[in-house]
Amino acid sequence: MNDRPNTSHEMSYVDRPQVPVSALYRGAAVVLATMHGKAQAIAPPFADHLSLIVKPSVGLDTDQLGTFSGEIPRQGTMLEVAVRKARLGMHAAGLPLGLASEGSFGSHPAVPFLPVGMELLVFVDEERGLAIHESLVDESTNFAHFVIIPGESVEPFLERVGFPAHGLIVRPNEGNPLPALTKGITDQAALEQAVREAGAISPDGAARLETDMRAHLNPTRMRSLGVLAERLARRVATLCPTCSAPGFGRTGTLSGLICEECDEPTEMVASEVFGCAACDHREVRVRSDGLSRAPARSCPLCNP
């Protein structure tokens, strides 16, 4: 995994004067490309660890890069879109530092019935040629949907997803959703009206309720962004032991943890790979949780 953007014109980071990371960014402004209030979660860790002043973008339509409700599909990977979004904010604000996040929600890859949220946050430093990112897989998401006929009770679903503190989206269950797609619903009367309108134009007469995953309408997601921002701010504040560039951190893992019973390698993570965003320095370290042997239940030989 390479955190560096494609900037062929940049000089090598090791050729630059090296200063402590606390002095690199102290008092500088970084633009956060968002139209959904993410600064409340993202700004504090960057102020605490880097003395950076996070400024939300003004008048920037980040929906042009994709929407959760599907009217505009996301083009590219989460990282590609997040970097593109950060650069849009940087260009609009005239700043060399940018932040942007992307989220994706669906079924857990290993447990299909468990909903999961994937969050990614990127910090772009144009002057130093750095794009540093961290990601988070969060099983605490309230991501869910429910199909109803207008007039049916939906109270158990509303309680489960945290309505009205968490917003909802309503659309027709079948056919073209755009004529009756309603976002940001946070009160009962608006919900009932949206359900009637969606059901009236859906071929099956039903409406589909979905959690609105935009951060300003989803406190659960906003908390996840705060956890991720803390992780990324700490990483940016970590200097490479070789070239002293910001952003040294975990870039991957290596499988092969030895089974506690048969001493054969398993698919469990055995070690973690740490790397620099600016140079080729890499380190392989033991698991951060201290686990040195895989339980036999995770071994394909002991538990086929």
Side-chain angles (χ1 to χ4, degrees):
M1 184 187 306
N2 189 345
D3 287 328
R4 303 190 70 187
N6 292 323
T7 50
S8 58
H9 64 278
E10 64 181 301
M11 65 186 295
S12 170
Y13 194 90
V14 295
D15 296 329
R16 303 170 187 264
Q18 304 303 308
V19 296
V21 72
S22 59
L24 283 179
Y25 300 117
R26 183 180 294 121
V30 54
V31 60
L32 171 62
T34 183
M35 53 191 294
H36 299 142
K38 297 176 183 176
Q40 63 177 283
I42 293 174
F46 281 85
D48 292 343
H49 298 292
L50 294 157
S51 298
L52 270 167
I53 302 169
V54 175
K55 294 187 174 183
S57 56
V58 178
L60 182 66
D61 179 15
T62 56
D63 280 352
Q64 64 183 287
L65 300 177
T67 58
F68 285 123
S69 43
E71 313 97 293
I72 303 175
R74 181 167 58 200
Q75 300 294 329
T77 66
M78 289 176 65
L79 178 58
E80 290 169 345
V81 174
V83 171
R84 200 178 308 146
K85 186 187 295 186
R87 292 194 183 282
L88 282 176
M90 292 157 65
H91 177 76
L95 292 173
L97 302 175
L99 283 163
S101 82
E102 278 292 298
S104 180
F105 302 87
S107 299
H108 194 288
V111 189
F113 297 105
L114 178 68
V116 68
M118 175 73 174
E119 299 284 357
L120 183 142
L121 181 63
V122 64
F123 172 79
V124 178
D125 182 338
E126 187 68 29
E127 292 182 340
R128 297 174 178 85
L130 302 175
I132 305 162
H133 69 274
E134 282 284 349
S135 59
L136 173 71
V137 177
D138 193 352
E139 297 175 2
S140 67
T141 178
N142 75 326
F143 176 74
H145 72 273
F146 193 74
V147 177
I148 66 165
I149 300 295
E152 291 181 344
S153 174
V154 72
E155 291 306 316
F157 173 77
L158 299 184
E159 183 176 353
R160 176 161 60 91
V161 300
F163 180 84
H166 293 71
L168 291 176
I169 295 173
V170 174
R171 68 175 78 218
N173 187 49
E174 295 181 355
N176 182 9
L178 295 182
L181 174 65
T182 307
K183 304 181 188 180
I185 300 170
T186 56
D187 69 79
Q188 191 70 34
L191 175 61
E192 292 173 359
Q193 179 180 346
V195 167
R196 288 194 298 269
E197 293 174 352
I201 71 168
S202 180
D204 64 354
R208 178 184 172 97
L209 282 63
E210 303 173 353
T211 46
D212 196 326
M213 303 310 297
R214 293 175 295 172
H216 65 303
L217 291 166
N218 198 299
T220 297
R221 184 179 178 216
M222 193 70 83
R223 286 193 292 272
S224 295
L225 287 171
V227 172
L228 182 57
E230 175 74 20
R231 183 180 296 180
L232 180 58
R234 287 181 178 272
R235 176 167 180 171
V236 175
T238 303
L239 299 181
C240 172
T242 296
C243 74
S244 298
F248 187 79
R250 196 177 82 160
T251 59
T253 59
L254 297 175
S255 61
L257 193 66
I258 300 301
C259 174
E260 62 185 357
E261 292 291 337
C262 69
D263 293 332
E264 291 296 322
T266 69
E267 291 300 313
M268 289 188 65
V269 171
S271 54
E272 299 174 344
V273 181
F274 284 68
C276 177
C279 75
D280 294 330
H281 179 72
R282 295 291 183 270
E283 296 179 7
V284 177
R285 302 179 181 178
V286 297
R287 291 174 56 121
S288 56
D289 61 4
L291 186 66
S292 60
R293 288 278 186 167
R297 65 177 180 273
S298 299
C299 176
L301 295 179
C302 298
N303 187 29

